[in-house]
Amino acid sequence: MNKIVQALLTGMFITFFLDFFIFLGIFLNYIELHGIDVYYNILFADHQNLYIFFVMSIFFGYISVYIKNYKISLTIIGIFGIVALSTLLQGIGESLGESMLMTKNSTLKSAKHTFIGDIYYEGREYITFYDREINKMIKIDKKDLK
């Protein structure tokens, strides 16, 4: 029982550490690049997939506690670490941010106006939207939409 708890906590720590760098890369190379007004903590909390987090926690916990050959464990964790750190490169971080957060060719309707363009980020209260008619990034309050 003690080893199972140790494996789960170790796996959660490793997964949290790798997740931090993935979201840091998205924040630096997508959120800040497009001038989207969102805090890192909100980005990290709102877009965390708990199923993937727990599956990866169990995986990393298993390979770090139950595999006796530490070279294999460190190699696997190192490969995942390099992949997570690669999001700090602008092209990779930006494309991952686009695939996770951007919705292209969207139409939003309010009482006064119809917006046609791309959703760059949908937050808790606001949508950061690139309007093609005025060629400008705008912030739309979700309460104003139909």
Side-chain angles (χ1 to χ4, degrees), residues 1-2 7 9 11 13 17 30 46 50 59 67 75 88 92-93 100 105 126 141-142 144:
M1 180 68 172
N2 190 22
L9 291 176
F13 176 74
F17 186 75
Y30 181 77
D46 287 354
L50 292 179
F59 172 73
I67 293 182
T75 302
L88 296 174
I92 297 171
M100 282 180 61
N105 301 323
Y126 295 98
D141 194 345
K142 283 185 172 181
D144 297 338

Side-chain angles (χ1 to χ4, degrees), residues 108-111 113 115 127 140-146:
L108 302 176
K109 295 181 182 183
S110 69
H113 191 9
F115 303 98
I127 296 174
I140 304 170
D141 194 345
K142 283 185 172 181
K143 296 176 203 167
D144 297 338
L145 297 176
K146 289 183 180 180

Side-chain angles (χ1 to χ4, degrees), residues 52-115:
I52 294 173
F53 183 84
F54 284 117
V55 167
M56 295 307 292
S57 295
I58 292 168
F59 172 73
F60 287 127
Y62 177 80
I63 66 170
S64 64
V65 173
Y66 288 104
I67 293 182
K68 300 295 182 199
N69 190 346
Y70 292 111
K71 290 181 183 179
I72 293 172
S73 299
L74 289 176
T75 302
I76 293 170
I77 293 170
I79 289 169
F80 276 94
I82 290 169
V83 170
L85 288 172
S86 70
T87 62
L88 296 174
L89 300 171
Q90 183 175 5
I92 297 171
E94 184 178 7
S95 64
L96 182 61
E98 283 181 7
S99 67
M100 282 180 61
L101 304 173
M102 181 186 267
T103 306
K104 294 188 178 206
N105 301 323
S106 299
T107 303
L108 302 176
K109 295 181 182 183
S110 69
K112 298 178 183 177
H113 191 9
T114 300
F115 303 98

